[in-house]
Amino acid sequence: MPELPEVETVRRGLQPALEGQTLKSVILRRPNLRIPFPKDFAKRLSGVKVERLGRRAKYLLMHMISGDIAIIHLGMSGHMTVLEGDIPEPGKHDHVDFCTANGVTVRFCDPRRFGLMTLTTEEEMENHKLIKNIGPDPLGNGFNADVLAAALEGRGSPIKAALLDQKNVSGLGNIYVSESLFRSGISPKRLAKTVQGARAEKLTRAIRDVLNEAIAAGGSSLKDHVAPDGELGYFQHNFNVYGKEGEPCPTCSTAKIKKIVQSGRSTFYCSNCQR
Ligand SMILES: [Zn+2]
């Protein structure tokens, strides 16, 4: 499942293809993904210039100069491909094409159809049901140690669960929460309310660093990725703890990485380095 760095990588990969370009047509090959497309989805986007591509948590936001905004979520398996020249025939799971006036097609393929696309406007976006409860973006100006500490104050849940709660901080999933907690030396089992002061500072920095490194890795794989098939968004990272159960801890090397299940989700950590 794509987390914030993957979505940000897709956004950056799509920027040159879409920003400042007019959409000649939008082709929908089925009535719905996870939810139905708005009736006028293709009509409201066709013939309109894309002003910019934004992102809120894991939602891509295509801001049109008309004031409309397409909200796009990649779901579990959705991916975007930038196609130029001879555009291949769509495959079975190629549900949407965004075709620009200068001959580029951005194709959305989603075998499991957990993705979604819908519309809002600049005026209504902040109150849109998908957007309004999203907490601060960990890479944005609205996120810092004080904001995180305030969100965690009084919380009796483990820090792992509190970081997955999108109201506290947005866009983090299982992978980057495990990696951020490892980086900051904080046990995933620690009560969220005890992450204050210097500990909140350390965690905030770790979250930012882990995400920025992943985005940088995505950016470098992007170059390799776009060349052969134009597909964006999925790449391999070198994780410290995620998926490394039983391997020696890269920091202390005396302990082995443990895997535990918290609220139904796997957590990977070092019980020696993380307290
Ligand atoms: Zn360790």
Side-chain angles (χ1 to χ4, degrees), residues 160-181:
K160 165 79 191 303
L163 293 178
L164 287 178
D165 182 341
Q166 302 295 305
K167 289 199 267 311
N168 295 330
V169 52
S170 68
L172 294 181
N174 236 14
I175 296 174
Y176 296 102
V177 168
S178 287
E179 293 293 314
S180 301
L181 288 170

Side-chain angles (χ1 to χ4, degrees), residues 182 249-253 255 270 272-273:
F182 176 74
C249 166
T251 301
C252 67
S253 68
C270 173
N272 189 30
C273 296

Side-chain angles (χ1 to χ4, degrees), residues 242-254:
Y242 188 81
K244 304 279 188 182
E245 184 189 11
E247 293 184 27
C249 166
T251 301
C252 67
S253 68
T254 54

